[in-house]
Every structure is written in C-alpha cells, then in structure tokens.
Amino acid sequence: MQGQILELEQEVDQMEKSLAILMENARPNTAKVNALKTSIRINKDLIEAKQAELTQTTGGADSLASKNARMVVAEADYQTREMMVQAAVQSVEAARVAADRQARYLATSVAPVRPEDPSYPRKFENTLLSFLIFGGVYLIMSLTASILREQV
C-alpha cells in the first residue's frame, strides 16, 4: 500500500511539472491543461483513498495501521518467547550435565567381592573368650564358697 501511494505521489509530481511547463507558455493548450488538472485531481483522490484505507476502519475490520501495530507487538512477544525457550533449553542442558556428573558418584563401577572366610562372626575367638569369662566366674564363685565354708 505504501509503495502504491509513493508511486501515485511520484506521478502527481511529474504531472505538476508538466502542468507548470505548459503554463509557462504564453498561450497554453487549454485541453491539455484541463486534462492534466483532472489527472492530478484523480491521482490525489486516489492517494487520499489509499491513505484512508491504511488508517481508518471499514465495516468492522481493523485498519492496516492497527493491524501493523498488533503485528509489531506480536513479533516482539514472539521474540521474547523464543528467548525464554532458548533459556529453558540451556537450563535443561545444564541440569542434564550436572546429573551426569552426579551419576558417576552413584554408579558402582566394580561389584564388591565377597571374602571366602567371613570376618565376622569369629567362632574360635568367641568360644575362647566365653571359656575365659565363665572360668573367671567359676573361680570367683568357688573362692567365695570356700571363704564362706571356713567362716562357718
């Protein structure tokens, strides 16, 4: 629309120049002058109509200027959303890298080997220890019993 308006304005400028050249003559051709004036008026009316199309609403439809303004706002919103999506993708990638780092510590790289001889319970050591404790208890009881017999 802007291109058509610009083209019409250039035509009007050319016609006005031609009209000015014709008017410089001492006796200009009246038919040519009237034809140029009519063409200039028609072109100016077309320019006004096209400019009105750009700025005025017709039949409930929005004007091209308001559509253009909404389009600019929508483009800005789209760019903002696109930047938000890129930031979210970057944060997901950073989280994935951090999770991969943590997974190294959680995974067992080698399965543990079970010993052939268990380290606990120690049967022989526990048996020896229980004999010593019960032997000590027996000695203390027998000494106490012999001391009590002598006293009686």
Side-chain angles (χ1 to χ4, degrees):
M1 291 293 277
Q2 290 288 347
Q4 291 175 353
I5 291 172
L6 182 64
E7 188 177 313
L8 287 172
E9 286 176 346
Q10 288 173 350
E11 285 182 30
V12 167
D13 286 343
Q14 288 295 328
M15 289 179 192
E16 285 177 346
K17 285 180 188 175
S18 298
L19 181 62
I21 290 172
L22 282 177
M23 295 304 282
E24 289 293 320
N25 289 335
R27 287 186 298 159
N29 187 348
T30 327
K32 285 185 179 181
V33 170
N34 287 339
L36 277 176
K37 284 183 180 179
T38 303
S39 295
I40 290 172
R41 182 181 47 80
I42 289 172
N43 279 349
K44 285 186 177 180
D45 289 344
L46 279 173
I47 290 171
E48 288 177 11
K50 290 204 180 282
Q51 285 176 343
E53 254 183 76
L54 283 176
T55 58
Q56 294 175 356
T57 60
T58 54
D62 291 341
S63 68
L64 291 177
S66 65
K67 287 180 183 178
N68 190 27
R70 283 199 319 257
M71 181 66 88
V72 168
V73 170
E75 283 179 6
D77 189 38
Y78 172 76
Q79 289 174 352
T80 303
R81 299 294 179 185
E82 188 69 26
M83 288 183 352
M84 290 170 67
V85 165
Q86 288 175 356
V89 167
Q90 287 176 350
S91 67
V92 165
E93 192 62 33
R96 183 177 295 131
V97 168
D100 287 343
R101 279 193 212 131
Q102 294 296 324
R104 279 189 234 149
Y105 296 113
L106 296 176
T108 55
S109 56
V110 177
V113 178
R114 302 192 77 191
E116 290 180 17
D117 296 326
S119 58
Y120 192 82
R122 300 180 185 123
K123 294 177 185 175
F124 178 73
E125 289 89 356
N126 289 342
T127 305
L128 186 63
L129 182 62
S130 62
F131 276 127
L132 285 174
I133 291 173
F134 289 127
V137 169
Y138 175 73
L139 284 175
I140 292 174
M141 298 283 273
S142 64
L143 278 174
T144 307
S146 66
I147 290 173
L148 285 176
R149 266 188 253 142
E150 286 181 17
Q151 293 291 329
V152 176

